[in-house]
DNA sequence: TTGACATATCGGAAAAAACCGATATATATT
DNA sequence: AATATATATCGGTTTTTTCCGATATGTCAA
């Protein structure tokens, strides 16, 4: 668990927004509808909501994943990303005890 | 409280080390001795311990202060920096509830 | 008031991050 | 096999960060 990498991933407004949206995918991405949210939300829907390009958002999601803050699941041609809540709990505790 | 600014301040190994040292100034900076640690630790001692230049460390401490993670007190020709524990408590809670 | 010391600020070179468009890859459909 | 769609990766430009040396400022002591 590389703390610097985690904080770098969190040092960007758009990436913080994405994490916020993934807290309530039903609210933030109602268009996903039928498939459900068990695996999170697919890249394309996140991309539209950010207003940034597909490549940028794909890289942002990778960086969040490298930091351990989200996990990804490939299903067919889609990749779904969802929050890794344990990572946030752990980070919260690290800030209280270690840093 | 600008979250991006806080995380940027935490996105650097040296700045994280400084914050760690300031958790236990008596242990980390025994050379300060006589003056005590009520106001924290002065820039020069932190600078020596980092191995970086005076200007770099001064800027690092400013950025930690802008983020609200430390406070500074001028005493004579010295500036003492100490942790702002409330900020860490607040950040820990923000990570659990907001982010 | 001069000199010594501590810290802050300024200007800049090198490295990293923030994006983008183009292209590659993987899967699904026909 | 060919086409369409979703995502990842690559190469590049611009902006930001990382650090430095030089200089300015602020305080103390002689």
């Amino acid at each position: 668990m590389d703390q610097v990498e985690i904080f770098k991933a969190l040092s960007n407004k758009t990436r913080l927004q994405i994490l916020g949206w993934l807290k309530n995918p039903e609210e933030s991405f109602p268009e996903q509808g039928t498939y459900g949210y068990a695996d999170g939300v697919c890249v394309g829907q996140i991309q539209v909501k950010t207003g940034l390009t597909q490549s940028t958002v794909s890289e942002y999601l990778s960086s969040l994943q490298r930091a351990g803050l989200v996990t990804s699941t490939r299903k067919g041609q889609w990749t779904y990303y969802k929050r890794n809540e344990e990572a946030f709990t752990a980070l919260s505790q690290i800030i209280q005890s270690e840093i």
Side-chain angles (χ1 to χ4, degrees), chain A:
Chain A
M1 218 207 202
D2 182 344
Q3 293 174 359
V4 171
E5 195 170 13
I6 293 173
F7 291 127
K8 276 187 181 164
L10 294 171
S11 298
N12 176 280
K13 197 177 154 191
T14 302
R15 288 192 297 265
L16 286 181
Q17 282 179 332
I18 292 171
L19 291 171
W21 294 332
L22 291 180
K23 280 198 87 163
N24 288 93
E26 302 84 355
E27 270 178 38
S28 305
F29 303 95
E31 61 279 24
Q32 183 154 304
T34 41
Y35 179 80
Y37 304 91
D39 296 318
V41 179
C42 68
V43 179
Q45 307 209 0
I46 298 170
Q47 186 243 313
V48 169
K49 209 158 159 104
T50 61
L52 299 176
T53 63
Q54 188 272 323
S55 63
T56 297
V57 174
S58 177
E59 271 159 20
Y60 279 11
L61 290 167
S62 290
S63 83
L64 290 171
Q65 188 181 22
R66 278 195 305 275
L69 297 169
V70 301
T71 58
S72 75
T73 312
R74 182 102 201 202
K75 281 275 161 72
Q77 40 189 338
W78 292 276
T79 307
Y80 295 88
Y81 284 89
K82 76 171 169 194
R83 288 167 61 96
N84 177 14
E85 294 297 348
E86 293 89 30
F88 291 90
T89 304
L91 181 60
S92 171
Q93 283 166 0
I94 281 173
I95 286 169
Q96 279 192 33
S97 56
E98 267 190 62
I99 289 173

